[in-house]
Amino acid sequence: MTAAHFAAKRLKLLGTGRSLPGPPVSNETLCEALESACHPRAGRRARSIAYRLGITHRHVSRDLHVPLSGTRITMQAPQLCHAALFEAMVEAGIDIASVDYLIGHTSSPHTLLPPNIAWVADELQYTGPYLELRQACTGFANGLQIASAMAAANALQAIAIVGSETGSPYFGMSDAFLSNEQLVNYVQMGDGAGAVVVGQDDGSEDQIISHIFLGQIGLGREPGFFIEGGGSSQPQCSMQVPVFRHHVQTVREHGGELFVRGVEAMVQRGHSLGEFDWILPHQANGHLAHLFSQYFDVPEEKIYVTADKLGNLGSAAIWVSLDLLRRSGNLKKGQRVLILGAEASKFLFGGFVYQH
């Protein structure tokens, strides 16, 4: 069994925030745009995929009326991050001058260099140190592990973490670009940013993040999700833009195992799914509550899912969903949430426990 690494220290959650670009985009709007730019059958295929994924809406930062949206993006990644961080800082009762360290994680940065978080720092007028993780759906777990060690070792009072994705501009509205995997990306993925502000463990049981873990089972496996083009191994982009390759069958075969490994990691620590009031898994599709409930034999109503209305937000998914759950009124004081992340790039799993 693959071991997960658990952080030794807890964190205090001081605030959460989220930002989504523009109004929600329905399947019909998305497919009509595709039909206008491509063959009508592309829209029919996209509708069928969206139905199977259980996704009805998502937010996108691109202009759907141009084939390639690189020059017409309605809300850039640094702006989304700024808005999400501002919400988190408001709840925490601090301003940017009180943030000791800024951590970002994304697979779709504003630029490759400087990192996305550098542009976020500019937006925030932040003069302190920052770092960025080039990760997708489990970037939150690595960010928390780093924050946990930093807070404990350096007595830091406020560390801000933001996960974001603006992947929609990578999609080309043309028949030449279309494949089944790209149509899956088109309807499954959404854009947005989610943020948290965390600090040192205060010894209480209120708003505590604990059991932060991360592991991987990707050794020797081909990536399930990766970016083709733009890297040093292949700087040229054959389709004009870097392409998010999505090996749907590989993800289908191995993706579920990531949740199993996450649950096993908690069981090894003496916990069971039954002791948690809520379970918040990575938001891969709108049917996840039903699928997770069936496989792990837990009540479906305990599983919090937002993918039906937001799509898969990648690096932003866990933070956005946690913010929505905390602000929904359904999460009561003292309740515990098990967060389970799953990333198909090279098959990482991670998570944490949040006590409200």
Side-chain angles (χ1 to χ4, degrees), residues 26-79:
S26 69
N27 289 343
E28 195 57 33
T29 298
L30 203 70
C31 293
E32 284 176 358
L34 192 62
E35 288 169 342
S36 296
C38 307
H39 195 280
R41 67 173 174 269
R44 293 195 295 270
R45 289 166 61 200
R47 285 184 182 88
S48 175
I49 292 169
Y51 177 78
R52 293 200 302 271
L53 290 170
I55 294 171
T56 64
H57 295 78
R58 78 287 295 145
H59 295 253
V60 297
S61 58
R62 69 166 292 150
D63 185 338
L64 292 172
H65 299 99
V66 293
L68 285 174
S69 186
T71 57
R72 290 171 65 176
I73 298 175
T74 56
M75 197 169 183
Q76 301 278 2
Q79 297 170 319

Side-chain angles (χ1 to χ4, degrees), residues 45-124:
R45 289 166 61 200
R47 285 184 182 88
S48 175
I49 292 169
Y51 177 78
R52 293 200 302 271
L53 290 170
I55 294 171
T56 64
H57 295 78
R58 78 287 295 145
H59 295 253
V60 297
S61 58
R62 69 166 292 150
D63 185 338
L64 292 172
H65 299 99
V66 293
L68 285 174
S69 186
T71 57
R72 290 171 65 176
I73 298 175
T74 56
M75 197 169 183
Q76 301 278 2
Q79 297 170 319
L80 287 166
C81 292
H82 181 181
L85 284 162
F86 182 78
E87 269 197 4
M89 288 188 294
V90 167
E91 186 189 349
I94 63 172
D95 59 21
I96 192 60
S98 300
V99 173
D100 297 308
Y101 217 102
L102 183 60
I103 300 173
H105 52 93
T106 183
S107 65
S108 51
H110 187 58
T111 57
L112 291 178
L113 192 68
N116 191 70
I117 202 67
W119 300 108
V120 177
D122 277 2
E123 287 277 337
L124 292 164

